[in-house]
Amino acid sequence: MTLALLASACLLVVTLGYVSLCRASPYGDCRKCHGLGFAMKTDRKGRPKRGKPCRRCKGHGKRIRVGRHLYNFWLHVYRDGSDTPAKTPPAKG
């Protein structure tokens, strides 16, 4: 097995794995708040307390995955492109 064939097989496995992950779980944890929905702060004694809601995920703690976002964008473009009305022939006269 050549190195190029092995590399392409590995790339195909990784891509199919990510596609299946995006299909099974389209939302992942927010990278800024780690899925909590808010930033952790500490009081003066050093104990953790709840901070402001996360601005990136708007306090939900979840974000849409990049692959799912691209799939949704492709789906909207496909649906908008195939929804064109049929052309009418020009009127004579």
Side-chain angles (χ1 to χ4, degrees), residues 35-72:
L36 294 174
F38 53 88
M40 291 296 292
K41 293 172 63 175
T42 55
D43 60 2
R44 289 201 254 167
K45 293 184 179 179
R47 293 182 299 216
K49 68 175 198 171
R50 183 183 181 115
K52 294 180 182 179
C54 179
R55 293 189 315 177
R56 181 179 285 178
C57 66
K58 298 179 178 78
H60 294 285
K62 296 291 182 183
R63 64 170 179 85
I64 193 161
R65 295 186 194 276
V66 174
R68 185 62 181 211
H69 181 72
L70 290 174
Y71 174 74
N72 289 347

Side-chain angles (χ1 to χ4, degrees), residues 69-89:
H69 181 72
L70 290 174
Y71 174 74
N72 289 347
F73 179 73
W74 173 81
L75 196 61
H76 288 297
V77 168
Y78 178 76
R79 286 182 181 165
D80 290 344
S82 64
D83 198 20
T84 57
K87 292 183 179 180
T88 58

Side-chain angles (χ1 to χ4, degrees), residues 5-56:
L5 187 60
L6 181 65
S8 63
C10 288
L11 185 63
L12 181 66
V13 167
V14 169
T15 302
L16 291 177
Y18 185 69
V19 166
S20 64
L21 176 70
C22 288
R23 183 172 173 91
S25 175
Y27 296 99
D29 289 340
C30 177
R31 288 173 287 196
K32 188 171 184 180
C33 65
H34 304 289
L36 294 174
F38 53 88
M40 291 296 292
K41 293 172 63 175
T42 55
D43 60 2
R44 289 201 254 167
K45 293 184 179 179
R47 293 182 299 216
K49 68 175 198 171
R50 183 183 181 115
K52 294 180 182 179
C54 179
R55 293 189 315 177
R56 181 179 285 178

